[in-house]
Amino acid sequence: MRGDDLSIEAMNWCRDLIGLKPVDKHILGYICDRYNANHGYAWPSLARISRDTGWAVSTITKALRRLEKKELLATYKQFYPGNGSWASNRYYLPVFGEPPTPGKKFSVGGEFDPHGTWDPDLE
């Protein structure tokens, strides 16, 4: 499956999971909704997840750790190569494909242009 179909498949997979705390299921469902099949991961920032779900960043971080322990989610760091500052995390769903080697960090190509549009050719 490709495109939006995989996001829908991910949402259905999450919906059918049992035994998760409500916050964990809500956060996993949010990641599933943001899952991009073309890239193989989702990348919303913690601030964006908090804004969209209403959960505090600390609550989200704890939920992400629990989901990682259950191997339902794999989190990887991203950084901007220009200044080395951290970017939003990458969230992989192992059930939909093998995530990268644990501990790998990714540079984010491109930058936002002055109008707030992402341009992969800007460095």
Side-chain angles (χ1 to χ4, degrees):
M1 270 189 182
R2 286 286 171 233
D4 293 336
D5 290 341
L6 192 51
S7 176
I8 293 168
E9 184 179 344
M11 292 288 292
N12 289 336
W13 164 75
C14 180
R15 184 194 62 231
D16 293 338
L17 290 173
I18 57 172
L20 294 177
K21 291 184 174 200
V23 63
D24 296 2
K25 193 162 187 171
H26 188 192
I27 298 305
L28 184 59
Y30 182 85
I31 298 294
C32 288
D33 186 45
R34 294 292 188 143
Y35 189 76
N36 183 301
N38 294 326
H39 293 288
Y41 56 89
W43 61 93
S45 68
L46 291 172
R48 178 61 183 249
I49 298 170
S50 177
R51 186 172 52 246
D52 290 351
T53 65
W55 295 101
V57 169
S58 61
T59 301
I60 295 164
T61 302
K62 289 173 190 172
L64 292 170
R65 281 193 217 126
R66 287 190 297 268
L67 292 166
E68 288 173 336
K69 281 185 179 181
K70 292 180 185 237
E71 299 181 356
L72 297 172
L73 183 76
T75 303
Y76 293 80
K77 300 278 188 190
Q78 296 189 112
F79 65 93
Y80 294 104
N83 63 12
S85 65
W86 291 112
S88 60
N89 292 326
R90 288 184 181 190
Y91 301 102
Y92 290 84
L93 301 171
V95 71
F96 294 104
E98 189 69 29
T101 305
K104 185 168 174 70
K105 295 177 184 161
F106 297 90
S107 70
V108 176
E111 296 289 339
F112 287 99
D113 72 15
H115 305 288
T117 304
W118 183 258
D119 185 343
D121 296 326
L122 292 176
E123 295 280 5

